[in-house]
Amino acid sequence: MAGKTYYNPINGETTTLLTTAEASGGTLTQFEVSLSPGGGNPLHYHKGFTEEFTAVKGKLGLRLGRKKLYLNPGETAIVPPYTHHRFYNDTDQTIVFRVNLTPAQPGFENFLKAMFGLVNDGRTVTKNQIPKNIYHTAIMYHWGDTHFSNPLAKVIAPLFGMLYKTAVKKGIEQQLLEKYCR
């Protein structure tokens, strides 16, 4: 739902969904992130979409491949598919930035809603917010098209594919959709 805000108390992130896949006719998913000092995400990549980051307030830290860069308000960086990247806030103030996903990603929209819901319900472990339930992990991996850059993740990826199919058959995916994505 466009305009709805989701909060993650683990990394101090607040995300507001601005444009949904449905509202844009499948062309754009857009959200705005407010990130507390020290917040960020692990190095990862996506296969099916381009991400465009635009700093709104403060200095947004980005790692693109081996390169580190900082975006000031109004500056933009584009992250093509398969590019290893992460965002972070290494300043002492909250930063705000926007993210455009093209083409639109209804699965990623569900990923955001469910991931924040699982975190708030205490159903994740570690600072990286891995769901406690292995089926939930497989669903998040599938919905987010988020592939982690460490070597172990590449070994585990086929297992997540099988677990996702099982989660669908068992109705677990539907349960997450109903609880967090409606």
Side-chain angles (χ1 to χ4, degrees), residues 26-96:
T27 61
L28 174 70
T29 294
Q30 182 185 58
F31 50 95
E32 185 170 274
V33 177
S34 175
L35 190 62
S36 297
N41 61 3
L43 194 63
H44 66 281
Y45 64 95
H46 309 283
K47 294 179 180 180
F49 58 91
T50 296
E51 274 184 290
E52 178 182 340
F53 292 89
T54 302
V56 174
K57 176 186 162 203
K59 190 180 284 192
L60 169 61
L62 286 176
R63 180 169 164 199
L64 302 176
R66 297 183 190 275
K67 185 170 65 170
K68 273 185 161 182
L69 62 119
Y70 290 93
L71 300 180
N72 292 305
E75 295 179 333
T76 296
I78 295 177
V79 181
Y82 294 94
T83 301
H84 295 248
H85 65 284
R86 69 180 290 256
F87 63 79
Y88 56 92
N89 179 2
D90 61 1
T91 73
D92 62 357
Q93 297 192 6
T94 297
I95 63 172
V96 177

Side-chain angles (χ1 to χ4, degrees), residues 76-153:
T76 296
I78 295 177
V79 181
Y82 294 94
T83 301
H84 295 248
H85 65 284
R86 69 180 290 256
F87 63 79
Y88 56 92
N89 179 2
D90 61 1
T91 73
D92 62 357
Q93 297 192 6
T94 297
I95 63 172
V96 177
F97 59 96
R98 287 198 173 176
V99 182
N100 292 338
L101 308 181
T102 54
Q105 296 298 305
F108 196 89
E109 294 168 22
N110 287 336
F111 165 82
L112 285 174
K113 295 170 191 177
M115 197 68 230
F116 281 58
L118 290 168
V119 167
N120 281 285
D121 287 349
R123 298 173 76 182
T124 61
V125 294
T126 77
K127 187 178 179 195
N128 288 330
Q129 304 129 56
I130 298 168
K132 292 177 181 177
N133 181 312
I134 191 71
Y135 291 115
H136 292 170
T137 303
I139 293 165
M140 295 299 100
Y141 181 83
H142 179 79
W143 284 354
D145 183 19
T146 302
H147 308 272
F148 295 103
S149 299
N150 68 51
L152 179 60

